[in-house]
């Protein structure tokens, strides 16, 4: 385009009345007409001559070229009037605005970046010569993703003051689908076997709407490598893809792919040798070698061997090692010998460790989790371990690290840990609706990392319709440098069971506790604790299962007073975690076993144990799909006796299920119900003397008692709940929020039961006639096999105000009296 303009300008100058002479002349003056934004001096600086110089027609043509090369002008003409040279120019227009319309496959951010790289920037001058190049480049991109009907046009709208608006109009159309993939030359394996793991899918049926048969050039390129690997992994060392063709249908909606292959024959490995420096670890490296003489050649094993050796060397600081495999092929015997060349390079040391992105969390909180030390050799294993430790902190969303060479050195790097935080404080609130308890509210607040220190401290306040509690706590996770934690708390609680879906009673408790923990290794730790609790239970409706509890605490002289008791307990716990994150993990295992027992000098002597295991298995490389299996077990009981009555687990410490820990069921609805036993009586004899006052009624024998079943559960001393969850990508959600929002499909199953319940105590009793119970008959609450099951979908969101959980569930299996809670919404749920 520039050459054409130059030629046109020269012809114009030649045909002008001011035709330039062939002979040279001395320039007396230089003028430039048509300048608007370009300064005269800037234009003159681009000319290869000045006033007073002797010029020829050739010199003037070079001047035109120089002005064009400056990039400011669309048109240039030159004229001579005597010894005065005049350049008439038309400046390039300035880009006023850039607009995109119709683009879906390409984000505006990508388009803006691409245009910037080609100097198409608002406020800069427009070079119209590259418009066609941009249009062709974008069209080629669409062809690469299978959209052969796509069209891209750049429209220019000229404005006053030599300005222009650019509008990029896209007509993307539909992508062509892969209609057929043909393989020619394969005799050993059929097409289906070869194409089993490829991503280019053919003519999918409608029910596979989650998959895509859209043609993409990059996908096909990757599939060719998978086909090649299919043969190499089976020993076909001479396999070749001789040709691949892509034919597009006339309507450009279908693509037909043909691969011409040459399979060859299988080759056997005759030996594996090493050359190079094995850093003194010869025996270990050779022992870890999966390749053995006599087996078929396997390309995947060769690659795995190279990566394993490189990773092993990196753990010793050789971060830039090179491992290459050369083959010595004998085509006559169909054998191959392998030689692994190992070059560890120089050992790399860590100069400095940098931490960035942590606006709220102090550097020392991050650094104490980092296992890589400054001054030590660089270890990829240690860096990955450091990343996991930092990422397990509940107030850290994402961690990445980058190594940067130190300028002027070959064996030192700086490591930059880039942190993305999430809020360390949260509200604890919720709204739920169920068929029995109706609309329920709760509220609370807590802080996980006080002032960015990484220590849990502050006030945890909870208030809802059935409980008011406050907990002042402080836990220093690193009381000592080697990871011993120390913490304490003071608490108060006022609980109304009748409003919590449990049996009616009021319990007030207060006390204090102390806890400390010891790390066993990188993944496990032991926790110990001690506490004293002062409790009072009042307004309790006496039911049959409380007979032991009441007999142990009742004052014979004041049988109607509230139950007051003081307990001293000690606890021990073991936790092992290999989770990849503290919040929203996608891979790893967490197992915990905790136990609590009250001391013999307590008013109530009992023990309580909990076991929890959660196993996450990543189903995709990017961890957007994963599978969770979770098991929670609990058991508690009393030890010792008082006044001939055995101690039992206090009903206020019972296990409950329903609500947050068993979705689909009402809060605390699963488990044993209270049974009220009524003594029947017979009328007294009439007054023998006719005074109108008869003898009082007389109680009948216990076998004539009647009973009724409460509408509420009071829990049980044993619990088992299992959960299976398929964690999926959240639909319509940007990738930036993938670590803050989680969607999962779940199945919950389990039961709560009472191992001390004896249904035979009620076998011969009659049911109370005016019963309002939800249960039509008495169930055996000691039966662990009364499994409930529910299923549904849950969406969890770590919002700025705290974690939110939305659950929609349906009961699959229930028992008489269980009530359903279809939808629940909570803030502050523990994940």
């Amino acid at each position: 385009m520039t050459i054409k303009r130059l030629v046109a300008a020269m012809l114009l100058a030649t045909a002008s009345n001011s035709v330039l002479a062939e002979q040279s002349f001395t320039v007396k003056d230089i003028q430039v007409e048509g300048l608007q934004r370009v300064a005269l001096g800037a234009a003159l600086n681009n000319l290869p001559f000045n006033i007073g110089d002797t010029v020829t027609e050739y010199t003037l043509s070079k001047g035109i070229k120089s002005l064009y090369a400056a990039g400011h002008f669309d048109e240039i003409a030159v004229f001579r009037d005597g010894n005065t040279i005049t350049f008439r120019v038309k400046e390039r227009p300035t880009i006023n605005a850039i607009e995109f319309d119709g683009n879906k496959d390409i984000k505006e951010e990508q388009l803006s970046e691409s245009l910037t790289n080609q100097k198409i920037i608002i406020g800069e001058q427009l070079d119209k010569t590259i418009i066609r190049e941009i249009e062709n480049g974008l069209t080629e991109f669409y062809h690469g993703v299978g959209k052969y009907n796509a069209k891209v046009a750049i429209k220019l709208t000229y404005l006053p003051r030599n300005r222009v608006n650019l509008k990029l109009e896209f007509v993307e159309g539909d992508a062509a689908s892969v209609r057929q993939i043909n393989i020619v030359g394969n005799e050993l394996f059929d097409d289906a076997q070869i194409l089993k793991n490829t991503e280019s899918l053919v003519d999918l049926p409608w029910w596979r709407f989650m998959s895509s048969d859209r043609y993409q050039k990059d996908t096909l390129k990757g599939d060719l490598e998978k086909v090649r690997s299919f043969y190499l992994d089976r020993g076909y060392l001479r396999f070749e893809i001789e040709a691949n063709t892509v034919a597009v249908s006339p309507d450009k909606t279908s693509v037909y792919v043909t691969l011409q292959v040459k399979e060859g024959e299988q080759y056997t490995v005759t030996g594996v040798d090493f050359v190079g420096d094995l850093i003194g670890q010869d025996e270990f490296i050779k022992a870890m070698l999966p390749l053995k003489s006599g087996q078929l050649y396997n390309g995947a094993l060769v690659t795995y061997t190279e990566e394993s050796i490189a990773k092993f060397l990196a753990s010793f600081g050789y971060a830039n090692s090179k491992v290459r495999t050369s083959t010595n092929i004998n085509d006559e015997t169909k054998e191959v010998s392998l030689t692994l060349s190992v070059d560890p390079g120089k050992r790399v040391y860590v100069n400095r460790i940098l931490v960035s992105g942590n606006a709220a969390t102090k550097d020392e909180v991050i650094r104490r989790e980092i296992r890589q030390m400054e001054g030590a050799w660089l270890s990829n294993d240690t860096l990955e371990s450091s990343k996991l430790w930092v990422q397990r902190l509940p107030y850290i969303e994402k961690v990445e690290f980058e190594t940067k060479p130190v300028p002027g050195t070959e064996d030192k790097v700086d490591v930059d840990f880039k942190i993305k935080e999430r809020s360390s404080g949260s509200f604890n609130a919720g709204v739920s609706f169920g068929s029995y308890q109706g609309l329920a509210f709760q509220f609370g607040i807590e802080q996980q990392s006080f002032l960015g220190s990484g220590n849990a401290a502050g006030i945890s306040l909870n208030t809802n319709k059935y409980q008011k509690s406050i907990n002042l706590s402080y836990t220093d996770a690193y009381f000592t440098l080697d990871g011993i934690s120390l913490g304490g708390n003071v608490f108060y609680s006022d609980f109304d069971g009748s409003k919590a879906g449990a049996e009616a009673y009021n319990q007030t408790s207060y006390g204090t506790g102390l806890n400390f923990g010891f790390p066993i290794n990188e993944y496990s730790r032991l926790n110990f604790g001690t506490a004293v609790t002062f409790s009072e239970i009042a307004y309790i409706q006496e039911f049959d299962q409380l007979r032991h509890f009441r007999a142990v605490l009742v004052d014979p002289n004041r049988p109607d007073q509230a139950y007051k008791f003081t307990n001293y307990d000690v606890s021990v716990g073991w936790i092992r975690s290999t989770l990849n994150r503290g919040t929203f993990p996608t891979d790893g295992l967490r197992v915990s076993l905790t136990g609590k027992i009250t001391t013999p000098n307590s008013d109530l002597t009992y023990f309580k144990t909990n076991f929890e295991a959660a196993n996450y298995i990543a189903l995709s490389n990017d961890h957007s799909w994963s599978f969770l299996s979770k098991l929670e077990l609990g058991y508690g009981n009393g030890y010792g006796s008082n006044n001939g009555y055995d101690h039992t687990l206090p009903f206020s410490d019972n296990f409950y299920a329903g609500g947050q820990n068993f979705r689909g069921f009402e809060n605390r609805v699963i488990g044993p119900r209270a049974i009220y036993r009524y003594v029947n009586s017979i009328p007294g004899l009439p007054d023998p003397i006719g005074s109108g006052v008869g003898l009082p009624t007389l109680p009948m024998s216990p076998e004539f008692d009647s009973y009724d079943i409460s509408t509420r559960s009071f829990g049980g001393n044993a619990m088992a709940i299992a959960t299976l969850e398929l964690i999926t990508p959240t639909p319509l959600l940007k990738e930036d929020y993938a670590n803050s929002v989680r969607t999962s499909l779940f199945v919950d199953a389990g039961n709560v039961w009472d191992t001390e319940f004896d249904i035979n105590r009620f076998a011969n009793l009659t049911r109370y006639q005016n019963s309002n119970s939800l249960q039509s008959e008495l169930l055996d609450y000691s039966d662990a096999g009364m499994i409930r099951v529910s299923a549904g979908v849950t969406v969890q969101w770590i919002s700025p105000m705290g974690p939110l959980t939305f659950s929609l569930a349906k009961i699959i299996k229930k028992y008489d009296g269980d009530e359903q809670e279809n939808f629940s919404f909570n803030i502050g749920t523990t994940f």
Side-chain angles (χ1 to χ4, degrees), residues 454-457 473-480 483-489 513-519 525-530:
N455 300 329
S473 63
Y474 183 88
T475 301
D476 187 345
Y478 278 81
F479 182 69
T480 66
I484 295 178
S485 63
L486 178 66
N489 70 311
L514 182 69
N515 62 80
F516 52 97
F518 298 88
R525 67 183 295 115
L526 286 174
N527 296 317
F528 300 91
T530 181

Side-chain angles (χ1 to χ4, degrees), residues 160-202:
R161 302 194 307 276
N162 200 26
R163 294 174 301 138
V164 64
N165 286 346
L166 272 69
K167 184 176 183 180
L168 281 73
E169 295 184 345
F170 298 82
V171 179
E172 293 186 339
D174 295 327
S177 60
V178 181
R179 188 57 53 87
Q180 190 173 2
I181 301 178
N182 296 316
I183 302 179
V184 179
N186 56 314
E187 298 177 356
L188 301 171
F189 305 96
D190 60 36
D191 291 10
Q193 289 177 287
I194 299 172
L195 300 174
K196 182 178 180 181
N197 295 318
T198 57
E199 295 183 27
S200 297
L201 304 175
V202 177

Side-chain angles (χ1 to χ4, degrees), residues 76-97:
I76 303 173
V78 61
F79 299 89
R80 175 185 173 186
D81 184 7
N83 289 344
T84 298
I85 303 299
T86 301
F87 288 92
R88 292 178 183 173
V89 299
K90 182 179 181 182
E91 291 185 3
R92 289 177 176 175
T94 301
I95 301 173
N96 179 70

Side-chain angles (χ1 to χ4, degrees), residues 663-735:
R663 292 155 290 191
F665 289 85
E666 287 276 9
N667 186 45
R668 296 175 173 240
V669 76
I670 298 174
R673 305 295 176 93
I675 302 177
Y676 295 96
R677 189 162 178 162
Y678 302 104
V679 177
N680 292 321
S681 59
I682 58 175
L685 297 175
D687 181 8
I689 61 175
S691 65
V693 179
L695 296 176
T697 59
L698 301 175
M700 298 178 68
S701 299
E703 62 267 21
F704 294 103
D705 289 354
S706 60
Y707 71 91
D708 195 12
I709 307 171
S710 172
T711 58
R712 299 186 177 99
S713 169
F714 73 98
N717 70 330
M719 176 189 66
I721 298 177
T723 295
L724 299 178
E725 288 197 31
L726 176 63
I727 301 168
T728 69
T730 303
L732 307 177
L733 186 71
K734 292 184 178 180
E735 187 177 350

Side-chain angles (χ1 to χ4, degrees), residues 436-626:
Y436 174 69
Q437 73 174 13
L439 192 63
F441 300 92
Q442 63 183 44
F443 172 79
I445 189 171
E446 62 180 356
Q447 181 74 31
Q448 291 178 325
S449 180
F450 183 64
L451 298 179
S453 66
N455 300 329
I459 299 177
S460 176
L461 175 67
N462 241 309
T463 176
N464 52 45
K465 74 174 188 176
Y466 57 84
Q467 185 177 20
K468 297 177 179 63
S469 65
I470 185 171
N471 184 30
L472 305 177
S473 63
Y474 183 88
T475 301
D476 187 345
Y478 278 81
F479 182 69
T480 66
L481 292 177
D482 53 0
I484 295 178
S485 63
L486 178 66
N489 70 311
V490 179
F491 60 89
Y492 171 84
S493 174
D494 186 359
F495 179 81
D496 186 346
S498 63
K499 296 180 179 179
E503 197 53 43
Y505 69 94
N506 281 30
Q507 178 172 345
T508 302
S509 300
Y510 61 94
T512 184
L514 182 69
N515 62 80
F516 52 97
F518 298 88
I520 302 174
N521 52 41
E522 286 286 285
Y523 304 105
S524 303
R525 67 183 295 115
L526 286 174
N527 296 317
F528 300 91
T530 181
V532 56
T533 304
F534 304 93
S535 301
E536 178 178 322
I537 296 180
Y539 305 111
I540 187 170
Q541 298 183 22
E542 303 292 347
F543 48 92
D544 188 75
Q545 293 99 319
L546 285 185
R547 62 188 185 280
H548 283 264
F549 177 80
R550 185 176 187 277
V552 168
L553 292 177
V554 71
D555 182 352
N557 299 319
R558 302 178 64 185
D560 296 328
Q561 72 173 359
Y563 303 131
K564 296 182 179 180
F565 50 95
T566 301
N567 291 330
Y568 307 91
D569 65 71
V570 293
S571 60
V572 61
W574 169 73
I575 299 176
R576 175 177 172 80
S577 176
T578 60
L579 298 180
N580 62 339
R581 292 196 192 102
T583 304
F584 286 168
T586 57
D587 190 34
L589 174 68
R590 186 184 189 278
V591 181
S592 68
L593 177 63
T594 59
K596 179 181 77 171
I597 187 170
T598 59
T599 59
N601 61 325
S602 301
D603 291 331
L604 298 175
T605 54
Y606 64 94
F607 64 90
K608 189 175 181 180
T609 59
N610 285 84
F611 172 81
E612 294 184 19
N615 187 29
Y616 292 84
I617 301 174
L619 301 179
S620 60
N621 291 333
D622 62 357
H623 288 213
S624 60
W625 292 80
S626 58

